[in-house]
Amino acid sequence: MSDRSEALFDDAKQVIPGGVNSPVRAFKAVERNPVFIKNAKGSHIFDVDGNEYVDYVCSWGPMILGHAYPPVIEAVKKACDNGLSYGAPTENETVLAKLILEAVPFMDKVRLVNSGTEAVMSAIRVARGYTGRDKIIKFRGNYHGHSDGLLVTAGSGLLTESNPDSAGVPKGYTATTLLADYNDATSVEALFKANPGEIAAVIVEPVSANMGVVPPKEGFLQFLRDITKANDSLLIFDEVITGFRLAFGGASEYFGIQPDMITFGKIVGGGMPLAAYVGKADIMNVVAPVGSVYQAGTLSGNPIAVTAGIKQLEALKSDKAIYDRIDSYAKKLEEAYLEKGFTVNRVGSLLSPFFTSGPVVSYADVLKCDTNKFAAYFRSMLSQGIYVAPSQFEAMFVSDAHTEDDLDKTIKAIQNI
Ligand code: HOZ
């Protein structure tokens, strides 16, 4: 039943473009209207019509400990009594910065911002300021938020809408964004060759997770490390999805590669609007007020978001076995999908079943997926009480709150598709 969701969606459409504040949520690609959420607890999410779902969106990743995780909620409630925003420094910002650096000990400094988009946009500005170069390389199908220069052959909602470039972005803004193919070293080499001494940075999702999950081929990330070093360019890992999820130290720990800069997203805020970019001291010292790369914001390091982030990262740090648990849960789901005949990609607790017959190792492979079949699969899962991302081109996230019962129910749903 979805009467109330339908009514709320109709109402929302009167005053919000498409009725949603972020496009994929409109469920357009799965040819039905969205469910409106009332609340969430642990691994479950509840809609306004009284339906309950096992949730594999997990707010697009950050709810790795489950929704309404008590230590986070209690700390946030307490912090609210002290005021919601000061626009001035607090001790907890340093506490959170140090926790983040414990995860990536080869880095020196952290700047807190509000969203993954902001973190990436800022990191790129820093890379340009530091190197004195303008051009960057990004990969087709990788998504780095919605700043102008990065909306070029982007994944996530743009791929979902079959429109990987955005209107409203002046040509000049993307002229310095060069495109390479993920998992294709030759395409990167060609760009370095054609633009000698001009490339400030290569930005990559170490595991592509915004065109569905596509793992890096053996040696690909090391190749990026080597070629950037050889050309005095920076390597930026966009770990908005992989950070604190593949391991406490994210993809850099998981794959044993040390990039020059890393961007983290919502997971560092325990699901609240918080994100960060980090780097070595010499790079980060170009940021104002030390250096001349400007980046600022009243809500940067917001005390409530920082409190939530500290509690979540402390929990992850104190029980690293979490990563083995969520890996094993995701493996069970992977097996169920494989048994049903899907192509599946999985890295740790991130996975994607694909509607295509061959392996999925590139953007070109992703484009072969049958999105109509995905839509039917999505609707079947939803009707069986399983909430997965409403797009073939997003990841499935498993949390530590998922239970054996949840997994059994999900596996049955997969068998019944
Ligand atoms: N495109 C976002 C995930 N990769 C969706 C964000 C949202 O709708 O909240």
Side-chain angles (χ1 to χ4, degrees), residues 22-25 60 143 156-157 210 241 266 394:
S22 190
V24 183
R25 296 179 198 176
W60 308 92
Y143 178 72
S156 190
N210 284 289
I241 289 189
K266 43 224 164 205
E394 301 282 358

Side-chain angles (χ1 to χ4, degrees), residues 130-131 133 135 137 188-202 223-235 260:
Y130 177 75
T131 58
R133 301 171 179 181
K135 294 181 181 170
I137 294 178
V188 181
E189 277 162 352
L191 291 174
F192 271 103
K193 209 165 165 201
N195 300 273
E198 292 185 272
I199 294 169
V202 173
F223 157 78
L224 294 181
R225 178 61 290 181
D226 295 341
I227 196 166
T228 44
K229 209 168 237 169
N231 287 278
D232 296 321
S233 303
L234 302 187
L235 177 62
D260 299 298

